[in-house]
């Protein structure tokens, strides 16, 4: 067997994803990656998978490396790099990443880039190359492939015309949508065709992220001010404001594939247990799967409302801790 392998049509394509998160969102990050890829990451900064996702799917993923060369040593990687065929006229550059198991310092990584770049047949271009090739060490293997960087345009949506100080951050909202639909992604279903519901939508943070990801979603809120604010935000980002309606979720009709429920009432006052249970029962009637967010423990009420807990994690934000439950 050769000591290095170059991907061909006969070999299974593999991918490396680099990811990062703040410690307050680490549980959510790991849970989202587990749901999206069907496996938890085995490393603090990279995830190896045969599943191909756009790197912008998760707000925690920074890039995807489409592995072309898998070698046992750096010398073998350099040798294999000389056999890579770039498209005619395409310029390139090589980046050696500190993520993974590469303990090289900055100067050593630049040296690795020069060594590999010198072996590749093509024109190097450091400022604006047509192709960026990445080098990562994973365990005892050296991996080389084309880099596909994440679309980070969601960062622009952190600023909205209307917002709550306790509203879900954009990053969290985006991850919650993935938790709601990732079962369809993992099982090769058409996740974009799912009908989603945000029954307590507030200012529409979750809705806007779902819409930006190409998902179908409808929102309701019992508070007229929230509905008005959500419509302003939707219109600001180019979405139909009629997707949000004034209404009590206990009175909403219809069926949805999944729902994201951020129980907002208990942020300002204590919501009685019987009212919480009614909301959860209504949600059970409306959706087959739910991602539920609360500042209070809900395990007992979830069970009493007919939900089966699948996953759970916690996020923290400046003295405010939220529990997240994924239920079916």
């Amino acid at each position: 067997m050769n000591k290095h392998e170059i991907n061909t049509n006969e070999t299974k394509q593999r991918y490396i994803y680099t990811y990062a998160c703040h410690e307050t969102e680490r549980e959510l990050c790991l849970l989202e990656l587990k749901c999206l890829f069907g496996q938890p990451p085995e490393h603090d900064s990279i995830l190896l998978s045969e599943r191909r996702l756009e790197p912008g799917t998760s707000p925690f993923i920074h890039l995807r490396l489409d592995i072309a060369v898998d070698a046992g040593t750096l010398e073998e990687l350099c040798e294999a790099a000389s056999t890579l065929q770039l498209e005619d006229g395409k310029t390139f550059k090589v980046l050696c990443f500190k993520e993974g198991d590469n303990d090289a310092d900055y100067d050593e990584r630049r040296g690795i880039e020069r060594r590999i770049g010198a072996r590749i047949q093509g024109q190097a271009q450091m400022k604006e190359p047509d192709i960026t090739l990445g080098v990562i060490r994973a365990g005892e293997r050296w991996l080389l492939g084309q880099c596909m960087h994440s679309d980070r345009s969601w960062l622009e949506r952190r600023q909205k015309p209307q917002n709550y100080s306790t509203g879900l951050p954009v990053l969290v909202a985006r991850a919650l949508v993935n938790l709601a639909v990732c079962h369809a992604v993992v099982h090769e279903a058409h996740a974009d065709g799912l009908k989603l519901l945000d029954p307590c939508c507030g200012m529409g943070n979750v809705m806007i992220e779902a819409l930006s990801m190409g998902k179908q979603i409808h929102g309701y809120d019992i508070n007229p001010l929230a509905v008005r604010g959500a419509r302003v935000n939707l219109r600001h980002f180019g979405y139909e404001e009629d997707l949000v309606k004034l209404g009590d979720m206990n009175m909403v009709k219809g069926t949805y594939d999944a729902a994201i429920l951020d129980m907002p009432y208990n942020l300002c006052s204590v919501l009685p247990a019987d009212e919480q249970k009614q909301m959860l029962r209504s949600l059970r009637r409306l959706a087959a799967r739910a991602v539920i967010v609360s500042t209070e423990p809900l395990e007992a009420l979830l069970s009493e409302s007919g939900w089966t807990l699948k996953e759970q994690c916690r996020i923290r934000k400046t003295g405010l801790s939220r529990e997240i439950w994924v239920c079916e």
Side-chain angles (χ1 to χ4, degrees), residues 197-202 207 218-223 227 243-249 252-253 256:
L197 172 69
D198 186 348
C200 297
C201 67
M207 291 189 66
H218 289 82
Y220 293 85
D221 204 286
I222 200 170
N223 184 343
V227 172
L243 292 172
V244 177
K245 299 185 183 300
L246 179 67
D248 183 339
M249 66 171 292
V252 172
K253 299 185 183 302
Y256 298 83

Side-chain angles (χ1 to χ4, degrees), residues 195-248:
K195 291 175 56 181
L196 305 182
L197 172 69
D198 186 348
C200 297
C201 67
M203 294 295 176
N205 292 10
V206 168
M207 291 189 66
I208 290 169
E209 289 315 298
L211 291 167
S212 75
M213 298 161 73
K215 314 303 180 188
Q216 301 180 47
I217 189 167
H218 289 82
Y220 293 85
D221 204 286
I222 200 170
N223 184 343
L225 294 178
V227 172
R228 188 180 307 163
R231 288 177 173 173
V232 169
N233 288 336
L234 285 167
R235 186 168 60 248
H236 177 77
F237 290 107
Y239 301 116
E240 296 180 15
E241 60 183 65
D242 289 345
L243 292 172
V244 177
K245 299 185 183 300
L246 179 67
D248 183 339

Side-chain angles (χ1 to χ4, degrees), residues 38-85:
Q39 64 185 55
E42 296 182 356
H43 197 284
D44 286 340
S45 58
I46 63 173
L47 185 148
L48 176 64
S49 177
E50 294 180 354
R51 183 175 298 278
R52 184 184 186 278
L53 293 181
E54 292 303 315
T57 300
S58 166
F60 300 109
I61 292 177
H62 288 185
L63 66 84
R64 185 188 76 222
L65 185 73
D66 298 359
I67 300 172
V69 179
D70 179 336
T73 68
L74 184 57
E75 290 71 21
E76 293 163 4
L77 189 75
C78 291
E79 177 186 348
S82 66
T83 68
L84 290 177
Q85 298 294 319

